Amino acid sequence: MSVFSAPDFDHHERVTFHHDQATGLRAMVAIHRDWTLPSVGGTRLRAYTSEDEAIADVLKLSRGMSYKCVMAGVEYGGAKAVIMADDDALRDREALFEAMGAFVDRFRGRFYTGVDFGLSVDDVRAMHHRTDYVCGLGHSDPAAATSRGVVTAIRAGVRRAFGSDDLSGLRVAVQGLGKVGMGVARLVHAAGARVLAADTNAEALAHAREHYGVEVMPVDRIHAAEADVFCPCAVGGVLDETTIGELKGRVVAGAANNQLTDVALGSALKARDIVYAPDYIANGGGLLAVVQEIEGFSDTELDRRLAHIGETLDEVFRDAESHGLTTAEAADRIAAARIAALDERTEMPASEATRKAS
Ligand code: NAI
């Protein structure tokens, strides 16, 4: 596959390939946008079946990060790194990630990275031996911030559907009680909601039952629970034609990435009058915690930015209604417009930018 003609190329500014002979590292970094602030995005390790598959993944994910950034109100560009997993190279995992750290360091602070699929905090620590431009080793807790952002998104959806964001007495079905889902269960329980949940992990279920009075559901039926809100916090691709047809509530808001198997399915949700909080806005809290780590702003400022997720969703819901779009389409439309405005500002000669700003 050629990079320039790849489906998700979308004017990427930089795509860099790296090979380290000593460790066998084969990696790619895609930087969708590089505005005045650096670009951010996790590093993913996967057993890609081909280079084409890795290229398609890195482009799609880095573009998605630009969308996530602008909708979280941060002017960081979107980026992503992928490592093509290779059994030989993984025999010395620490050396592999040190080599990756050296690669990241070559961007001299224009690219910050951290944990994504297939990586552990130890891998990021190994990268940190060779670069300062990693996140997730400080005091910030991205999953906790993601849970809080998801609850803000649930409230925005509930406000849209029922006219009030009071969660007391509502039923919330949480799919996946991991780092994010457990936090959501705790917070909505504290807000007076009844929590139903499913997970493949019996320990997580026992904990949630004991502490948050969670009603346990079978893994393959949680989306169809008698609940006002469905909150996917496990894996992507949980909303297809069948599952959408079986939803009982009026709101979908959760942390999982790429919840819709096809963005066109937003229409199926709209047709059933279900308010869908686009995933990359609802789960933006983790990104905000990473930005807090980079910039060192206060917890009060983090609270303010997390609350803004609700205002962003209100804007998306209004835009969808006034333009006859699905909420997923409205979110993409607003994100693309914000990216275009940032591009324009960055490309403008400094004198003109100053004139325009004044
Ligand atoms: P996690 O790995 O800690 O938790 C996932 C949970 O889902 C686990 O308890 C697992 O047993 C359970 N699970 C797996 N398959 C399941 C199924 N079919 N049905 C029900 N439960 C199932 O992951 P984490 O960090 O809580 O993230 C959850 C989702 O949110 C993931 O899709 C992740 O990509 C996304 N996300 C997470 C962020 C974060 O800050 N951790 C930020 C943005 C998105």
Side-chain angles (χ1 to χ4, degrees):
M1 183 197 289
S2 146
V3 171
F4 292 127
S5 56
D8 286 301
F9 174 67
D10 188 30
H11 311 291
H12 263 76
E13 290 188 358
R14 239 190 289 184
V15 183
T16 310
F17 296 76
H18 185 71
H19 172 60
D20 178 62
Q21 196 174 359
T23 59
L25 171 71
R26 285 180 304 152
M28 302 170 196
V29 169
I31 295 182
H32 180 242
R33 283 299 182 275
D34 186 5
W35 292 305
T36 42
L37 290 170
S39 50
V40 285
T43 295
R44 171 174 285 208
L45 172 88
R46 260 187 67 190
Y48 292 102
T49 51
S50 67
E51 282 173 32
D52 284 358
E53 194 188 14
I55 292 170
D57 210 27
V58 80
L59 292 174
K60 181 171 156 209
L61 294 166
S62 95
R63 175 176 182 263
M65 280 304 296
S66 285
Y67 277 51
K68 184 181 279 207
C69 286
V70 289
M71 294 310 265
V74 296
E75 294 187 7
Y76 287 74
K80 207 79 179 186
V82 298
I83 299 175
M84 300 183 70
D86 171 311
D87 287 347
D88 280 343
L90 282 166
R91 265 188 210 114
D92 189 347
R93 196 168 170 115
E94 187 173 8
L96 184 79
F97 280 96
E98 284 181 344
M100 185 65 196
F103 178 30
V104 170
D105 204 58
R106 291 195 188 176
F107 293 89
R108 300 186 183 285
R110 300 304 308 166
F111 168 52
Y112 276 82
T113 195
V115 169
D116 199 288
F117 185 89
L119 263 71
S120 69
V121 173
D122 281 345
D123 299 328
V124 178
R125 218 167 265 132
M127 286 202 261
H128 188 42
H129 295 162
R130 305 286 292 276
T131 186
D132 285 335
Y133 305 114
V134 289
C135 306
L137 301 176
H139 82 286
S140 76
D141 184 346
T146 305
S147 303
R148 290 171 59 205
V150 167
V151 175
T152 303
I154 289 175
R155 285 191 187 277
V158 165
R159 188 161 57 238
R160 184 78 186 168
F162 306 119
S164 152
D165 65 7
D166 183 1
L167 300 184
S168 58
L170 294 188
R171 290 163 67 90
V172 178
V174 182
Q175 182 177 49
L177 289 168
K179 294 183 287 297
V180 177
M182 192 67 86
V184 171
R186 178 172 60 78
L187 293 168
V188 298
H189 169 72
R194 178 101 181 90
V195 188
L196 301 90
D199 199 298
T200 46
N201 177 341
E203 251 175 65
L205 289 172
H207 178 91
R209 201 189 286 128
E210 183 184 340
H211 295 276
Y212 317 126
V214 161
E215 186 181 321
V216 174
M217 296 279 303
V219 164
D220 59 352
R221 297 308 299 159
I222 185 70
H223 65 277
E226 291 290 345
D228 303 286
V229 179
F230 175 50
C231 178
C233 292
V235 289
V238 290
L239 296 172
D240 57 26
E241 272 186 45
T242 309
T243 54
I244 289 173
E246 292 174 343
L247 290 171
K248 302 283 191 308
R250 291 278 320 281
V251 177
V252 175
N257 286 307
N258 304 318
Q259 289 166 28
L260 298 170
T261 49
D262 180 344
V263 77
L265 285 168
S267 307
L269 288 162
K270 186 168 175 261
R272 293 206 53 214
D273 205 16
I274 294 170
V275 180
Y276 168 63
D279 44 20
Y280 64 87
I281 304 175
N283 69 19
L287 169 70
L288 291 172
V290 164
V291 170
Q292 180 187 34
E293 192 178 324
I294 297 172
E295 296 186 357
F297 54 71
S298 66
D299 287 344
T300 313
E301 175 61 12
L302 178 65
D303 293 347
R304 191 190 67 75
R305 293 186 186 210
L306 285 169
H308 190 66
I309 289 176
E311 291 156 34
T312 303
L313 286 169
D314 290 342
E315 181 186 346
V316 166
F317 298 152
R318 278 195 307 270
D319 189 78
E321 186 171 18
S322 58
H323 291 91
L325 299 171
T326 69
T327 56
E329 289 165 341
D332 285 355
R333 192 182 96 92
I334 295 171
R338 288 185 186 180
I339 287 171
L342 280 165
D343 283 348
E344 199 182 315
R345 209 175 73 193
T346 314
E347 279 158 18
M348 224 185 276
S351 55
E352 206 179 314
T354 317
R355 244 198 335 270
K356 197 161 181 175
S358 57

